[in-house]
Structures are given as C-alpha cells and as structure tokens.
Amino acid sequence: ATPLVFAPVSDPIDARIVSNLTHPGEHATGVRLAPSNGLRLQWLLRVVPGVRKVYMPYTKIDKSATATLKQVEEAALKLGVQLLLRPVGSQEDIQSAAREIPPEAQAIFLPQDSRIESQIDLFVASALQRRLPLSAPSALQVEKGALMSYGFDHLSIGRQAGRLAVEILQ
C-alpha cells in the first residue's frame, strides 16, 4: 500500500483518512490539529473583554470548519457568547460573508477552514473598517492583519509532515 502523510487535519477520523488515532492501520500518518478553538474563543474574550456577539462564517461542507464549529459552540455556551453563524458554500458566498458582517457583531471568529482562510485579506479589511477584533486559526493570518490566534503555525506543521515523510522513505 502507498503511505499517506496528511497535514494539517482537524479530525482525521471524521475526514475518513484513518479509522483510529492510536492505530491508524491505513498506512497513514500525519499532523492532527489540536482541538483548540474553544480556548481561542476564551482568549478572544480575555483580549477584548465585553464581547458577547461573535460572527463566525464557515463552509458548511468542510469537515475542519464543522469540527471548529462544534468546539466553538460548546465554548460559547459555557462563556455566555452568542454566535452569529453564517454558513457559506461558494467563493462568492465567502466574499459576501466578509463584506456583510452583521451590525450587531462585536468580533469576528474565523474557523479552521481553508476556503475561509484563503480570503483572509477580505476579512482583515472588513474587520479594520468596522473596528472589530478578528480571531483567526493560525499565526499566518495574524501576520496578514488578524488581531490574534491561538492555534497552529503552518511552517511548523509542514516541517513535522516533512519529518514524517523522511522517516517513511528511509
């Protein structure tokens, strides 16, 4: 069988890459993202106290986005935060979601969602225009203008996946 190295994946079981994390058995290995989105919401509230209405667009067919949504919904319930959810499908939907932030939103929370993340410049521009804090899933988006992140670093994940591939090839 051909080995598979995945990176990054929020939930490799839900994504049907492996059936078990301890013993994948499908000749697969990789880098799984820690389920840190609930903590990221907590940190957003620490950085910007008083936020109670958080806008979160997400791609409804993206497994990483729905995994993020589940984590954030659990945290929001405990923290007394109302999520203003915007499910999107197409690139046009995402661009509209970036431009049409609900007036009652007090912050923007982007999920681990490659389609949404690819439009970070639009979300940063809207956040700046509306003077809203923007929480993004990775350090890369902070470099592009998001206020904060609590998650992962793309470069580190790539290096870890590369180390795994070298081990397999050796």
Side-chain angles (χ1 to χ4, degrees), residues 26 69 72 80 84 87 101 112 127 134 136 142 145 164 168:
E26 289 88 358
L69 178 60
V72 174
L84 307 171
I101 298 168
Q112 293 170 341
L134 173 60
V142 172
L164 293 169
I168 290 168

Side-chain angles (χ1 to χ4, degrees), residues 127-163:
L128 290 172
Q129 180 182 19
R130 290 274 310 274
R131 301 180 56 83
L132 294 174
L134 173 60
S135 176
S138 79
L140 181 62
Q141 286 103 24
V142 172
E143 291 172 15
K144 292 187 174 240
L147 173 66
M148 60 154 298
S149 176
Y150 183 92
F152 61 96
D153 173 33
H154 285 93
L155 184 59
S156 297
I157 288 173
R159 286 184 177 145
Q160 178 63 20
R163 281 191 291 276

Side-chain angles (χ1 to χ4, degrees), residues 36-168:
S36 61
N37 291 293
L39 286 172
R40 182 160 55 99
L41 182 61
Q42 287 179 13
W43 275 105
L44 174 63
L45 300 182
R46 282 186 168 178
V47 171
V48 189
V51 167
R52 290 292 165 244
K53 294 183 180 187
V54 177
Y55 177 59
M56 183 176 154
Y58 68 98
T59 305
K60 51 191 168 190
I61 61 167
D62 185 292
K63 297 286 187 183
S64 292
T66 55
T68 299
L69 178 60
K70 182 179 176 185
Q71 294 168 30
V72 174
E73 284 178 326
E74 290 172 7
L77 189 62
K78 292 176 187 171
L79 297 167
V81 170
Q82 179 185 355
L83 295 176
L84 307 171
L85 300 175
R86 170 99 180 245
V88 296
S90 68
Q91 280 299 103
E92 293 78 24
D93 287 347
I94 295 168
Q95 291 167 357
S96 292
R99 288 189 301 267
E100 299 165 6
I101 298 168
E104 66 272 23
Q106 298 170 310
I108 303 167
F109 191 96
L110 299 183
Q112 293 170 341
D113 178 331
S114 59
R115 291 175 185 97
I116 298 278
E117 291 177 61
S118 73
Q119 299 296 317
I120 187 66
D121 293 336
L122 286 175
F123 284 99
V124 167
S126 290
L128 290 172
Q129 180 182 19
R130 290 274 310 274
R131 301 180 56 83
L132 294 174
L134 173 60
S135 176
S138 79
L140 181 62
Q141 286 103 24
V142 172
E143 291 172 15
K144 292 187 174 240
L147 173 66
M148 60 154 298
S149 176
Y150 183 92
F152 61 96
D153 173 33
H154 285 93
L155 184 59
S156 297
I157 288 173
R159 286 184 177 145
Q160 178 63 20
R163 281 191 291 276
L164 293 169
V166 166
E167 285 182 33
I168 290 168

